[in-house]
Amino acid sequence: MSLAAKSLLLIAVLGLAACNNPDRYGAGGAGGAGGAGGAGGIDTTGLGDPNNPTSIAYFNQTVGDRVLFQVDQSTLTPEGRGVLTAQANWLNQNPGYAAIIEGHADEQGTREYNLALGARRAAAVQNFLISQGVAANRLRTISYGKERPLEVCSEEACYAKNRRAVTVLSAGAGV
């Protein structure tokens, strides 16, 4: 691959990484009514102290905010069910938070197929959390398909990281 092609690819990847979901942090985006704002529109104080068991940072780092899936699957693995059980316990103990469950897929397959697969993955997580007692009105799903990869390469190690569902918390019981 030529230097120009590599540069163009890098710019495209960085451009995609800069995209965000304006409703991720609640009404109005990070600087709106749903978030505290902050430098560059990112709420760095809203995540809280990772040592505080009621903070988003604690949830992300200690409980775990994501589960991984096998190729072309939306069935939860035993490891995934373990993470989701911990998520459900945390959500049930912290009713002031709502969640958006993002479904993702690896870059193999068509855009349409991966959007549908991401939706099935997000729904599987949502259904599991509801079965564990989390109120359905606190959960919402969205599928990004292959549009938001964590890793970009043509190797199984990268693909495996991209086959995921991520639970993104926001303050407020309704999303």
Side-chain angles (χ1 to χ4, degrees):
M1 183 183 286
S2 72
L3 179 60
K6 287 180 184 178
S7 298
L8 201 55
L9 180 61
L10 178 62
I11 290 169
V13 169
L14 291 174
L16 285 174
C19 294
N20 70 4
N21 176 0
D23 291 329
R24 172 179 251 174
Y25 298 103
I42 298 173
D43 180 8
T44 57
T45 60
L47 294 177
D49 179 1
N51 298 315
N52 176 352
T54 63
S55 74
I56 293 174
Y58 181 90
F59 177 87
N60 291 345
Q61 294 176 19
T62 305
V63 175
D65 65 345
R66 69 195 60 215
V67 294
L68 301 177
F69 292 87
Q70 298 299 315
V71 177
D72 294 329
Q73 297 293 312
S74 58
T75 304
L76 296 168
T77 64
E79 295 83 9
R81 284 191 297 276
V83 170
L84 293 176
T85 298
Q87 285 186 12
N89 290 336
W90 190 94
L91 286 164
N92 287 329
Q93 292 171 4
N94 296 281
Y97 290 97
I100 298 172
I101 302 159
E102 300 176 341
H104 299 270
D106 62 34
E107 61 206 56
Q108 302 174 91
T110 66
R111 182 177 188 273
E112 293 77 18
Y113 175 81
N114 284 318
L115 282 170
L117 181 58
R120 289 192 305 274
R121 288 173 174 167
V125 169
Q126 180 184 38
N127 291 336
F128 186 89
L129 292 174
I130 291 170
S131 78
Q132 299 297 304
V134 178
N137 68 340
R138 295 173 60 197
L139 304 172
R140 188 167 65 101
T141 63
I142 188 166
S143 176
Y144 292 113
K146 63 182 181 177
E147 304 303 319
R148 293 188 176 189
L150 288 178
E151 301 265 342
V152 179
C153 71
S154 297
E155 297 176 12
E156 176 55 29
C158 295
Y159 295 151
K161 292 178 185 176
N162 293 329
R163 295 189 294 261
R164 69 196 190 282
V166 181
T167 303
V168 180
L169 297 179
S170 62
V175 269

